[in-house]
Amino acid sequence: MTQATAPLKAAPRRHDREILALALPAFGALVAEPLFVLADSAIVGHLGTPQLAGLGIAAALLTTAVSVFVFLAYATTAAVSRRVGAGDLTAAIRQGMDGIWLALLLGAAVIAFVLPTAPWLVSAFGASDAVAPYAVTYLRISALGIPAMLMVMAATGVLRGLQDTRTPLYVAVAGFAANAGLNAALVYGGGLGIAGSAWGTVLAQCAMAGAYLVVVVRGARRYGASLRPDTAGIRACAQAGVPLLVRTLSLRAILMIATAVAARLGDADIAAHQILLSLWSLLAYALDAIAIAGQAIIGRYLGADDTEGAKAACRRMVQWGITAGIVLGALLIAARPMVVPLFTADPLVEQALLPALVVVAACQPVSGVVFVLDGVLMGAGDGRYLAGAMLATLAVFAPAALLVPALGGGLTLLWCAMTLMMLVRLVTLQLRSRSGRWLVAGATR
């Protein structure tokens, strides 16, 4: 009996080691990303309120412009990890290069759009006459770094697909340090004001992209992969990314609707909502790290024609997601007395925040499973299903959220609608996971 049960016990331990090896560095890299904006805010904030407000508007626009192309990382991870599983490292790196070339093309297109439309975009956000010039300045300069930002996304996907999440962590940490140092030097030492902060971020992003290129080019030379753009490969990357783009836009729409509804509830509610979104995002980074591990691991198993290994890894990661969600939810409840004063001293904001915070905490185990299964299906290249499932989720969430003010509900009811959104995602992802239709083996899907 002992010999028969040993493999069953060894398999979870093997999956645990894989998950930890990929998820922990991925979490560090994910947390490092928002520190760029925090560093910019801390430095620009000392220039004055109009400058800080301008940075806030420009940063929101840039974040939206870049985040919709997150499929560059997700689709590349899935495609590269499949090739790795199939034992074809040359094709894996070639696939990654196609993603990087696509990132450059998309980045150039975004620059061409943002530079002439920057004043209109800033005006659409309702910037005052005092704030608008700073926002336009920051947006136009920072837009020059968008190709580098997108290249970083695609190259990160390449390395994740190659089962390497440590290099992205090192690059992210070094990039944050360079960004902070350059900003301080250019804003104060160079006397460039908010333009110095924008140039510092552009230079840091370009340095990060350069570091990734060095790593990828070395790998290409080692395995004889071509670095030249391949039209068919770039087109295939774009086609694979379209469903994930639809998924991302649907999710952004959900978050925008939630914010718009919170704004209609009152000033205290929208302030509390922004705090909740910040905390929700922080918790999401921890859960998304497991999802990133899922993308890399599942793609590799399917590329190696090991569907049983993929199913076993999926089951284990779901267990991780549930456990992580329970722990994070409990920590959030326990930390309420310490967390809330960090964000607000307004009793009205605190009154709106506290009960909704309990709803967010209670939803974390659900979120844990949702994030994991999302990553699993991405790793399997099941983008079309994910797009359809997120559109269905949006269709359920939108009327539920818009009914909150009509029903006289407050922020807690709005976050109950957010929990409903996560439950719908859970159902759709669980149905797909149990159907087994995502288990398409081979070097390509």
Side-chain angles (χ1 to χ4, degrees):
M1 179 178 286
T2 303
Q3 291 179 346
T5 57
L8 296 176
K9 293 180 179 178
R13 286 199 296 269
R14 185 183 75 249
H15 291 312
D16 290 345
R17 288 194 296 270
E18 287 183 328
I19 295 166
L20 276 174
L22 292 170
L24 289 179
F27 174 67
L30 288 169
V31 170
E33 291 175 10
L35 294 180
F36 273 81
V37 176
L38 287 177
D40 289 4
S41 300
I43 292 169
V44 171
H46 292 286
L47 295 175
T49 300
Q51 289 91 333
L52 183 58
L55 169 65
I57 291 173
L61 287 166
L62 285 166
T63 300
T64 299
V66 173
S67 64
V68 296
F69 298 116
V70 72
F71 69 83
L72 288 167
Y74 294 159
T76 304
T77 298
V80 171
S81 61
R82 274 183 177 268
R83 300 283 190 179
V84 170
D88 192 348
L89 290 177
T90 301
I93 295 175
R94 175 65 262 177
Q95 189 95 41
M97 285 305 305
D98 291 336
I100 291 173
W101 280 112
L102 177 61
L104 278 172
L105 292 173
L106 291 173
V110 174
I111 288 178
F113 173 76
V114 170
L115 290 183
T117 61
W120 178 83
L121 292 170
V122 168
S123 176
F125 261 66
S128 67
D129 292 339
V131 169
Y134 297 112
V136 171
T137 296
Y138 191 93
L139 181 59
R140 279 180 165 161
I141 295 172
S142 293
L144 300 177
I146 287 179
M149 295 181 198
L150 298 186
M151 283 178 63
V152 166
M153 276 189 182
T156 299
V158 175
L159 294 179
R160 288 173 181 170
L162 293 171
Q163 317 296 297
D164 176 10
T165 55
R166 291 193 177 189
T167 299
L169 171 61
Y170 300 149
V171 174
V173 172
F176 165 71
N179 179 67
L182 286 167
N183 278 4
L186 294 174
V187 170
Y188 300 120
L192 297 180
I194 194 170
S197 176
W199 280 117
T201 299
V202 169
L203 292 172
Q205 291 287 351
C206 288
M208 291 172 67
Y212 276 119
L213 280 178
V214 168
V215 174
V216 174
V217 168
R218 284 178 179 172
R221 288 176 176 171
R222 183 180 304 122
Y223 295 104
S226 174
L227 298 174
R228 294 179 181 179
D230 176 67
T231 303
I234 293 172
R235 187 185 301 114
C237 284
Q239 290 172 345
V242 168
L244 294 181
L245 175 62
V246 172
R247 169 200 168 275
T248 301
L249 289 174
S250 300
L251 180 57
R252 295 293 299 181
I254 287 170
L255 297 178
M256 289 175 66
I257 290 170
T259 299
V261 170
R264 293 176 61 186
L265 297 176
D267 292 346
D269 291 279
I270 184 61
H273 179 71
Q274 289 305 116
I275 295 171
L276 287 168
L277 272 181
S278 298
L279 292 170
W280 189 72
S281 298
L282 179 61
L283 297 175
Y285 285 129
L287 299 174
D288 203 28
I290 305 174
I292 287 170
Q295 293 172 32
I297 293 171
I298 295 299
R300 192 187 76 236
Y301 274 117
L302 293 178
D305 293 329
D306 186 358
T307 56
E308 289 302 316
K311 287 193 289 186
C314 175
R315 287 193 297 268
R316 191 59 177 171
M317 281 184 282
V318 167
Q319 293 171 0
W320 272 73
I322 294 171
T323 302
I326 292 172
V327 171
L328 291 173
L331 287 175
L332 185 59
I333 291 293
R336 277 192 309 165
M338 296 175 287
V339 168
V340 174
L342 291 176
F343 290 96
T344 183
D346 187 330
L348 291 178
V349 174
E350 184 175 342
Q351 183 180 352
L353 177 63
L354 287 174
L357 197 62
V358 175
V359 176
V360 173
C363 186
Q364 289 312 298
V366 173
S367 298
V369 179
V370 167
F371 274 82
V372 166
L373 291 180
D374 207 38
V376 165
L377 296 184
M378 282 184 191
D382 204 11
R384 287 188 180 182
Y385 182 84
L386 289 172
M390 191 60 79
L391 285 171
T393 301
L394 173 60
V396 173
F397 171 77
L402 294 174
L403 277 174
V404 170
L407 294 174
L411 191 65
T412 301
L413 187 58
L414 174 60
W415 276 88
C416 286
M418 289 286 285
T419 300
L420 172 64
M421 177 268 292
M422 294 302 292
L423 288 170
V424 173
R425 292 185 69 189
L426 176 66
V427 171
T428 57
L429 295 174
Q430 281 277 30
L431 287 174
R432 187 64 167 182
S433 172
R434 291 178 179 177
S435 74
R437 294 178 183 174
W438 56 279
L439 289 163
V440 180
T444 58
R445 184 178 172 87

